[in-house]
Amino acid sequence: MNPQVTEARPRDREATRERILQAARTLFGEQGYEQVTVRMIAAAAEANIALVGRYFGSKAGLFGAVLQGEPTFSRLFDGDPETLARRLAEYAAERMRHPPDSPILRTLERSAGHPEIHEVVRERLITAVLKPLEARLSGPDAPARARMAAAVFLGIGAMRRRVGPRDPTPADVDRLTAVFEACLAG
Amino acid sequence: MNPQVTEARPRDREATRERILQAARTLFGEQGYEQVTVRMIAAAAEANIALVGRYFGSKAGLFGAVLQGEPTFSRLFDGDPETLARRLAEYAAERMRHPPDSPILRTLERSAGHPEIHEVVRERLITAVLKPLEARLSGPDAPARARMAAAVFLGIGAMRRRVGPRDPTPADVDRLTAVFEACLAG
DNA sequence: AGTTGAAGTATACGCATGTTTACTAGCCGC
DNA sequence: GCGGCTAGTAAACATGCGTATACTTCAACT
């Protein structure tokens, strides 16, 4: 009769794996794929370098695992369709000032370059952002409209990172609302 | 036996420098800062690696020289202010399908990550895009409005690179026109 | 208790990068 | 002609990367 195996074993594969995953989530979100090294992740997770390879195969595999573990944006898109544009605008306005609270968008904002993660980034952007939004749009051209709204999101983040943060004003939110309404208009 | 296939090039500091610059312009625009190596640039320019360091100090210095040499977007912004949004929309719609014709935007679209070029990217984005557009806007909040329009540009490019190209439809152009009108509305 | 297998470790491999050094050779003014 | 400045070259340097290997340690099960 075993006691519960879930608690505080000194050697715990699952816990170590989780520490690595969590460290990677944080670091990738903060600095993007290429700026973060496997050694940094291992150090932050207080795990040995070789374990990263052992549990995730490769750096790209770990990156994929991070992205797969992130939730979609369905919550943001849920609610009254009439006020969807406004909610998106408020969220985007906050993105002028601060990086996304969600690691997934932080990670997607950065890490454009590397070819080896291109596919997983693309897949995750589609399933976590485009498809959920698209599903909530009525009328024609839903994919195109969702894509354009997502483009605005990415663009806002790109400007913040490249030019600098900006405190969103009420006028900014109004403008963004109009922008998203234009994006989503059927 | 062949006589020399490659005819000797006269020694010309300025011409060599220009070849390197031109090769860098092309490669950075095609692949972004971090994907391009100094050796690739030297090979494309048919110049020795060391000359890159000699003439431009460093890879980042060369990148800065490329960006400094690019024209601004004033031409796109000139013309009837009434139809500015439409012109921007047509340009942006083309960006859904193809990378920018101008190396500067291609370069700015990519190369987000590297800290060592952050400053020159920022500076160039401001002086080549934001300021010229801002100068053509009347009414309040011109910087904020220009910034938002620029964000849409960057976002469109980001979506093309990450998700894939899209053939813009007339409806896309209409939507984008409305988006830019919302961005630029005073 | 002793064996065993996996978790964890230390270290090195192979490679690519940006950069620098020591050298060669061609052009120009004399 | 020729000497010297300098464009151009070849090679190495130093570093950091992701990954792989061989070893050690420890906990669980017979």
Coordinates of all heavy atoms in Angstrom, one line a residue, chain B residues 13 49-58, chain C residues 20-23, chain D residues 7-9:
Chain B
R13 N 38.3 51.4 -52.3 CA 37.7 51.3 -51.0 C 36.2 51.7 -51.1 O 35.4 51.0 -50.5 CB 38.4 52.3 -50.1 CG 37.8 52.4 -48.7 CD 38.5 53.6 -47.9 NE 37.8 53.8 -46.7 CZ 38.3 53.3 -45.5 NH1 39.4 52.6 -45.5 NH2 37.7 53.5 -44.4
I49 N 35.8 39.1 -45.3 CA 35.1 39.3 -44.0 C 35.6 40.5 -43.2 O 34.8 41.3 -42.7 CB 35.2 38.0 -43.1 CG1 34.4 36.9 -43.8 CG2 34.5 38.3 -41.8 CD1 34.4 35.6 -42.9
A50 N 36.9 40.5 -43.1 CA 37.5 41.6 -42.3 C 37.1 43.0 -42.7 O 37.1 43.9 -41.9 CB 39.0 41.4 -42.2
L51 N 36.8 43.1 -44.0 CA 36.5 44.5 -44.5 C 35.2 45.0 -43.9 O 35.0 46.2 -43.7 CB 36.4 44.5 -46.0 CG 37.7 44.1 -46.7 CD1 37.6 44.2 -48.2 CD2 38.8 45.1 -46.2
V52 N 34.3 44.1 -43.6 CA 33.0 44.5 -42.9 C 33.3 45.2 -41.6 O 32.8 46.3 -41.4 CB 32.1 43.3 -42.7 CG1 30.9 43.7 -41.9 CG2 31.7 42.6 -44.0
G53 N 34.2 44.6 -40.8 CA 34.6 45.2 -39.6 C 35.3 46.5 -39.8 O 35.1 47.5 -39.1
R54 N 36.2 46.4 -40.8 CA 37.0 47.6 -41.1 C 36.1 48.8 -41.5 O 36.4 49.9 -41.0 CB 38.0 47.3 -42.2 CG 38.8 48.5 -42.7 CD 40.3 48.3 -42.4 NE 41.0 47.5 -43.4 CZ 42.0 46.8 -43.0 NH1 42.5 46.8 -41.8 NH2 42.6 46.0 -43.9
Y55 N 35.2 48.6 -42.3 CA 34.5 49.8 -42.9 C 33.2 50.2 -42.0 O 32.8 51.3 -42.1 CB 34.0 49.5 -44.3 CG 35.1 49.3 -45.3 CD1 35.0 48.5 -46.4 CD2 36.4 50.0 -45.0 CE1 36.1 48.4 -47.3 CE2 37.4 49.9 -45.9 CZ 37.3 49.1 -47.0 OH 38.3 48.9 -47.9
F56 N 32.7 49.2 -41.3 CA 31.5 49.5 -40.6 C 31.6 49.3 -39.1 O 30.6 49.4 -38.3 CB 30.3 48.7 -41.1 CG 30.0 49.1 -42.6 CD1 30.5 48.3 -43.6 CD2 29.3 50.2 -42.9 CE1 30.3 48.6 -44.9 CE2 29.0 50.5 -44.2 CZ 29.5 49.7 -45.2
G57 N 32.8 48.8 -38.6 CA 33.0 48.6 -37.2 C 32.4 47.3 -36.7 O 33.1 46.6 -36.0
S58 N 31.2 47.0 -37.0 CA 30.6 45.8 -36.5 C 29.4 45.5 -37.3 O 28.9 46.3 -38.2 CB 30.2 46.0 -35.0 OG 29.2 46.9 -34.9
Chain C
dT20 P 37.0 43.9 -32.8 OP1 37.1 44.7 -31.6 OP2 36.6 44.6 -34.1 O5' 38.3 43.1 -33.1 C5' 38.7 42.1 -32.1 C4' 40.0 41.5 -32.6 O4' 39.8 40.5 -33.7 C3' 41.1 42.4 -33.1 O3' 42.3 42.1 -32.5 C2' 41.1 42.2 -34.6 C1' 40.8 40.7 -34.7 N1 40.2 40.3 -35.9 C2 40.7 39.1 -36.6 O2 41.6 38.5 -36.1 N3 40.1 38.8 -37.8 C4 39.0 39.5 -38.4 O4 38.5 39.1 -39.4 C5 38.5 40.6 -37.6 C7 37.4 41.4 -38.2 C6 39.1 41.0 -36.5
dT21 P 43.5 43.2 -32.5 OP1 43.7 43.6 -31.1 OP2 43.3 44.2 -33.6 O5' 44.8 42.3 -32.9 C5' 44.8 40.9 -32.6 C4' 45.5 40.1 -33.6 O4' 44.6 39.8 -34.8 C3' 46.7 40.8 -34.2 O3' 47.9 40.0 -34.1 C2' 46.4 41.1 -35.6 C1' 45.4 40.0 -35.9 N1 44.5 40.3 -37.1 C2 44.4 39.4 -38.1 O2 45.0 38.3 -38.1 N3 43.5 39.7 -39.1 C4 42.7 40.9 -39.1 O4 41.9 41.1 -40.1 C5 42.9 41.8 -38.0 C7 42.1 43.0 -38.0 C6 43.7 41.4 -37.0
dA22 P 49.3 40.7 -34.0 OP1 50.0 40.1 -32.8 OP2 49.2 42.1 -34.2 O5' 50.0 40.0 -35.3 C5' 49.9 38.6 -35.5 C4' 50.0 38.3 -37.0 O4' 48.9 38.8 -37.7 C3' 51.2 39.0 -37.6 O3' 52.0 38.1 -38.4 C2' 50.6 40.1 -38.5 C1' 49.3 39.5 -38.9 N9 48.3 40.4 -39.3 C8 47.9 41.6 -38.7 N7 46.9 42.3 -39.2 C5 46.6 41.4 -40.3 C6 45.6 41.5 -41.3 N6 44.8 42.6 -41.4 N1 45.5 40.5 -42.2 C2 46.4 39.5 -42.1 N3 47.3 39.3 -41.2 C4 47.4 40.3 -40.3
dC23 P 53.4 38.5 -39.0 OP1 54.2 37.3 -38.9 OP2 53.8 39.8 -38.6 O5' 53.0 38.6 -40.6 C5' 52.4 37.4 -41.2 C4' 51.6 37.8 -42.5 O4' 50.7 38.9 -42.1 C3' 52.5 38.4 -43.6 O3' 52.8 37.4 -44.5 C2' 51.6 39.5 -44.2 C1' 50.3 39.4 -43.3 N1 49.7 40.8 -43.1 C2 48.7 41.2 -44.0 O2 48.3 40.5 -44.9 N3 48.1 42.4 -43.7 C4 48.4 43.2 -42.7 N4 47.8 44.3 -42.5 C5 49.5 42.7 -41.8 C6 50.0 41.5 -42.0
Chain D
dA7 P 42.4 52.2 -47.6 OP1 42.0 53.5 -48.0 OP2 42.1 51.7 -46.2 O5' 41.7 51.1 -48.6 C5' 41.9 51.3 -50.0 C4' 42.0 49.9 -50.7 O4' 43.3 49.3 -50.3 C3' 40.9 49.0 -50.3 O3' 40.6 48.3 -51.5 C2' 41.6 48.0 -49.3 C1' 43.0 48.0 -49.7 N9 44.0 47.8 -48.6 C8 44.1 48.5 -47.5 N7 45.0 48.1 -46.7 C5 45.6 47.1 -47.4 C6 46.7 46.2 -47.1 N6 47.4 46.3 -45.9 N1 47.1 45.3 -48.0 C2 46.4 45.3 -49.1 N3 45.4 46.0 -49.5 C4 45.0 46.9 -48.6
dG8 P 39.4 47.2 -51.5 OP1 38.9 47.0 -52.8 OP2 38.6 47.5 -50.3 O5' 40.2 45.9 -51.1 C5' 41.1 45.3 -52.0 C4' 41.8 44.1 -51.4 O4' 42.6 44.5 -50.3 C3' 40.8 43.0 -50.9 O3' 41.1 41.8 -51.6 C2' 41.2 42.9 -49.4 C1' 42.6 43.4 -49.4 N9 43.0 44.0 -48.1 C8 42.5 45.0 -47.4 N7 43.1 45.2 -46.2 C5 44.1 44.3 -46.2 C6 45.1 44.0 -45.2 O6 45.3 44.6 -44.1 N1 45.9 43.0 -45.6 C2 45.8 42.2 -46.7 N2 46.7 41.3 -46.9 N3 44.9 42.5 -47.7 C4 44.1 43.5 -47.3
dT9 P 40.2 40.6 -51.4 OP1 40.1 39.8 -52.7 OP2 39.0 41.0 -50.6 O5' 41.2 39.7 -50.5 C5' 42.5 39.4 -50.9 C4' 43.2 38.6 -49.9 O4' 43.5 39.5 -48.7 C3' 42.4 37.4 -49.3 O3' 43.1 36.2 -49.7 C2' 42.4 37.6 -47.8 C1' 43.5 38.7 -47.6 N1 43.3 39.6 -46.4 C2 44.1 39.5 -45.3 O2 45.0 38.7 -45.2 N3 43.9 40.4 -44.4 C4 42.9 41.4 -44.4 O4 42.7 42.2 -43.4 C5 42.1 41.5 -45.5 C7 41.0 42.5 -45.7 C6 42.3 40.6 -46.5

